Amino acid sequence: LVWQGSEPEVEGTLSVQPQANPVKGFDLYFLNLTVENNRRNPWFIEFWEDHFQCRYPNSSKTPHNLKYTKFCTSRERLTRDNTAFENQLQFVSDAVMAFAQAFKHMHKELCQGRRGLCEAMKPIKGPELLKYLRMVSFKGLSGDKFHFDPSGDGPARYNIIHFKQLSLGNYQWVRVGEYDEGELRLNMKEIQFRLLQTQLPESVCSLPCEIGQAKKYVEGDSCCWHCFNCTQYQIRDPLDETQCNNCPKGTIPDHNKQFCLEIPEVFLRAESPWAIGNF
């Protein structure tokens, strides 16, 4: 995984993960499959050979099974210990059921209950099928409701996961909330950006410039900039924070370089002892 070896740098990360729940009954169904009872799937033998690293008797030669030196015994079995299930299986299940529902409603409306494909569905027109597909709404095998939004996207459901240090050197991804079709729920008590530190990090690209400084934006990014000092006889433009303006002749910037002030006149008076002493 990309974070392994960089745990201190990744610590505190908040991320999103597509939310998927187990498809009820699928694991039991799949674990009971064998080559003998699943002949309808022409690729299952290749899966079996790859999974158990053996050549199935009388199977066709493939670039993959030629490397196996042992034959399968037909006594191999899929178990929870040797089989890992894809966490996102729900999306495949929902996709299949969405098409099934669309075909069902399309057939009911166009064929008026007649069995098989009627002339109105020969051939099936893509735009027509899409119309029925966008209207599907059902409860999937995972128990979640499925429908398409006006943009044609499925339900926006995500887990909010957080990479935190549970104890010194023990890093884990922890689920701290969820986003469900526009509603965000977060368990703020579980969010910890650094172990034993309660201060929240500042989420900024650039800090505000100091008084008397102007901004130079990073090209293509309105949130990041560099600060530079206005020169000795300049002030920052009051209307444009990226510009420094020269003070007119006879004026100098104030201490904060925000205003131009007239230079006070300083001269020797005729009655001044300094003036008399210089004659």
Side-chain angles (χ1 to χ4, degrees):
L1 299 175
V2 295
W3 51 267
Q4 289 183 337
S6 302
E7 287 85 351
E9 290 76 19
V10 182
E11 183 183 4
T13 297
L14 284 167
S15 187
V16 295
Q17 174 191 63
Q19 189 180 94
N21 293 309
V23 175
K24 297 175 182 177
F26 179 81
D27 53 350
L28 183 62
Y29 159 77
F30 192 83
L31 292 176
N32 280 291
L33 291 178
T34 66
V35 174
E36 296 302 318
N37 65 21
N38 192 27
R39 294 289 184 181
R40 67 185 182 86
N41 186 340
W43 297 283
F44 195 73
I45 287 181
E46 290 188 32
F47 161 77
W48 196 269
E49 291 178 330
D50 178 74
H51 192 75
F52 292 107
Q53 298 290 289
C54 59
R55 175 85 179 272
Y56 202 83
N58 301 319
S59 65
S60 301
K61 292 182 180 180
T62 71
H64 307 289
N65 65 14
L66 291 176
K67 62 185 178 183
Y68 302 138
T69 57
K70 66 175 182 177
F71 281 92
C72 302
T73 65
S74 300
R75 294 190 298 272
E76 297 86 6
R77 289 296 179 268
L78 300 172
T79 67
R80 296 186 187 278
D81 294 330
N82 65 23
T83 307
F85 290 97
E86 171 59 54
N87 292 331
Q88 313 303 324
L89 182 63
Q90 176 187 350
F91 302 135
V92 179
S93 172
D94 286 344
V96 172
M97 289 193 67
F99 273 95
Q101 291 278 332
F103 282 125
K104 178 181 178 181
H105 296 152
M106 186 180 189
H107 183 271
K108 182 178 180 180
E109 187 170 310
L110 298 183
C111 298
Q112 301 296 316
R114 293 190 296 273
R115 299 185 65 180
L117 288 182
C118 60
E119 291 301 319
M121 293 183 68
K122 294 181 181 179
I124 294 176
K125 300 178 179 62
E128 186 76 6
L129 175 60
L130 179 60
K131 181 183 73 173
Y132 289 96
L133 192 60
R134 284 181 175 272
M135 294 189 296
V136 300
S137 179
F138 58 88
K139 186 176 182 180
L141 297 178
S142 63
D144 294 322
K145 292 182 179 180
F146 182 89
H147 63 89
F148 289 106
D149 65 17
S151 299
D153 296 318
R157 291 191 287 257
Y158 299 92
N159 291 324
I160 311 300
I161 55 177
H162 179 44
F163 192 69
K164 61 188 294 188
Q165 192 173 182
L166 301 181
S167 58
L168 191 61
N170 178 21
Y171 297 88
Q172 287 187 25
W173 284 102
V174 179
R175 184 176 181 271
V176 295
E178 65 177 357
Y179 177 88
D180 189 352
E181 298 196 68
E183 184 178 352
L184 176 64
R185 292 184 287 271
L186 277 178
N187 183 358
M188 296 300 295
K189 294 181 179 179
E190 284 291 329
I191 296 177
Q192 166 195 287
F193 291 98
R194 286 289 184 271
L195 183 65
L196 304 179
Q197 293 184 16
T198 58
Q199 184 177 358
L200 297 178
E202 292 186 356
S203 181
V204 294
C205 178
S206 301
L207 295 174
C209 293
E210 296 180 1
I211 295 175
Q213 292 184 327
K215 294 180 179 179
K216 182 178 181 181
Y217 284 96
V218 176
E219 185 176 355
D221 193 336
S222 61
C223 296
C224 301
W225 57 81
H226 301 292
C227 299
F228 64 93
N229 294 321
C230 294
T231 63
Q232 183 179 0
Y233 297 108
Q234 290 181 327
I235 63 170
R236 197 177 77 175
D237 191 303
L239 301 178
D240 185 352
E241 59 186 3
T242 67
Q243 297 293 327
C244 291
N245 295 336
N246 292 321
C247 283
K249 290 183 178 180
T251 64
I252 56 174
D254 70 335
H255 178 71
N256 293 325
K257 292 197 172 184
Q258 292 180 303
F259 306 101
C260 293
L261 304 177
E262 290 188 1
I263 300 175
E265 295 181 359
V266 178
F267 55 89
L268 291 176
R269 296 181 179 275
E271 64 273 18
S272 168
W274 290 101
I276 297 173
N278 286 328
F279 282 107

